[in-house]
Amino acid sequence: MTDALSRLLDLQTKDLALLETDVRLKAIADELAGLDAQIDSARRDLAVSTKRHEDAVKRRQDLELRIDGYRAIQDKRRQRLETVKGAREAQAVVTEVEMARAVLVREEAEWVKVAEGVHDCERAIKAVEDRIAALQAGQSAQRETLQAEIAELEAARSAAMAARDAAAVEVDRAIRARYDRLRSARSNAVVVALRGDACGACFTAVPRNRRTQIRAGVLLDNCEACGVILYAEVTDE
Ligand SMILES: [Zn+2]
């Protein structure tokens, strides 16, 4: 194995280690996002319940105003009843009072229903608030663990980054430029060993003359099909 190749492979090993920490950090970020999503979903339920409660309170208030209005009018009718003269006029007012009372009874029954609805909404809000509190309590240990893992991985990532940078300066500039260009397009290895007569990445056959040169370590050749830098693994044969 040539020096140039071993330095390049060393850089790749360190880049892949760096990538591994990034992948693990991303996985933890996704896990945290999942926990957030559970809470967010419960908070949306809370917003819906709160809005329902507000609407129900408003309906109850409107109903109370209307009922108060009916009662005031009804009082006036009763007062009128005391001052009317003549049985026919009195009978007319009595009829009015009775009809109005039927309306009032209906409205009061409606009020009872709406007031029960308000209580239902209050219970629903309490239930969602309890659910949010339980979620937060249930998640706290998991979040703590994840935060600790993040801190550990961030440290590992800094170390991996420093190791990678140190390895990079050891690689020939032209080869590094090729390597960096390839890496920007691929997330896995870009320096790949021949597998038999083929490229170890895409398994396209490599022409004999190029294989010979690669095995001789004359050049770091690219696969014609997928572009990875090819090399020959040293075997004991
Ligand atoms: Zn290939």
Side-chain angles (χ1 to χ4, degrees):
M1 196 183 284
T2 65
D3 237 25
L5 174 59
S6 65
R7 283 176 182 159
L8 184 58
L9 283 174
D10 182 47
L11 172 59
Q12 168 159 281
T13 302
K14 283 163 181 163
D15 268 333
L16 291 176
L18 177 62
L19 189 69
E20 169 68 17
T21 60
D22 284 342
V23 167
R24 287 170 65 194
L25 278 168
K26 170 74 169 61
I28 293 180
D30 289 349
E31 214 174 317
L32 281 171
L35 296 181
D36 288 343
Q38 288 177 2
I39 304 250
D40 287 348
S41 158
R43 287 209 172 113
R44 279 196 296 278
D45 290 348
L46 180 60
V48 169
S49 295
T50 304
K51 177 75 175 66
R52 267 188 204 140
H53 179 250
E54 279 169 13
D55 292 347
V57 167
K58 174 81 172 61
R59 257 201 322 279
R60 189 178 61 182
Q61 250 168 16
D62 291 348
L63 214 46
E64 281 166 3
L65 282 174
R66 215 157 68 207
I67 289 170
D68 285 349
Y70 284 141
R71 282 187 182 140
I73 295 169
Q74 193 73 324
D75 284 346
K76 280 190 190 128
R77 286 196 190 99
R78 290 209 179 88
Q79 282 162 20
R80 190 141 56 90
L81 199 53
E82 285 165 19
T83 59
V84 285
K85 301 176 182 83
R88 264 177 68 183
E89 204 183 335
Q91 185 53 49
V93 176
V94 166
T95 306
E96 252 181 73
V97 166
E98 269 161 13
M99 279 166 65
R101 188 181 333 158
V103 171
L104 202 48
V105 163
R106 267 205 310 278
E107 293 285 293
E108 281 167 347
E110 177 68 12
W111 181 91
V112 169
K113 227 166 68 189
V114 171
E116 272 168 11
V118 169
H119 289 305
D120 287 345
C121 289
E122 282 163 2
R123 277 192 290 275
I125 286 174
K126 176 77 170 61
V128 182
E129 282 172 345
D130 288 351
R131 183 150 60 91
I132 292 172
L135 270 174
Q136 283 169 335
Q139 288 183 357
S140 77
Q142 196 181 353
R143 281 180 186 274
E144 234 170 81
T145 307
L146 290 176
Q147 291 300 343
E149 277 175 40
I150 286 175
E152 237 172 76
L153 279 170
E154 295 281 11
R157 190 183 188 282
S158 300
M161 180 68 97
R164 184 263 168 217
D165 289 345
V169 297
E170 298 296 323
V171 175
D172 171 80
R173 187 173 294 187
I175 295 176
R176 207 169 84 200
R178 236 163 88 190
Y179 169 83
D180 285 339
R181 214 171 32 247
L182 283 167
R183 269 194 61 80
S184 66
R186 298 169 70 101
S187 62
N188 43 4
V190 298
V191 187
V192 178
L194 281 173
R195 186 172 291 188
D197 295 343
C199 162
C202 71
F203 307 109
T204 302
V206 177
R208 177 188 291 273
N209 61 328
R210 302 183 67 194
R211 248 162 36 220
T212 309
Q213 284 183 304
I214 292 166
R215 290 217 167 90
V218 177
L219 82 168
L220 289 165
D221 205 359
N222 286 67
C223 168
E224 287 175 310
C226 72
V228 300
I229 300 170
L230 289 169
Y231 70 97
E233 256 168 349
V234 185
T235 56
D236 295 335
E237 292 169 83

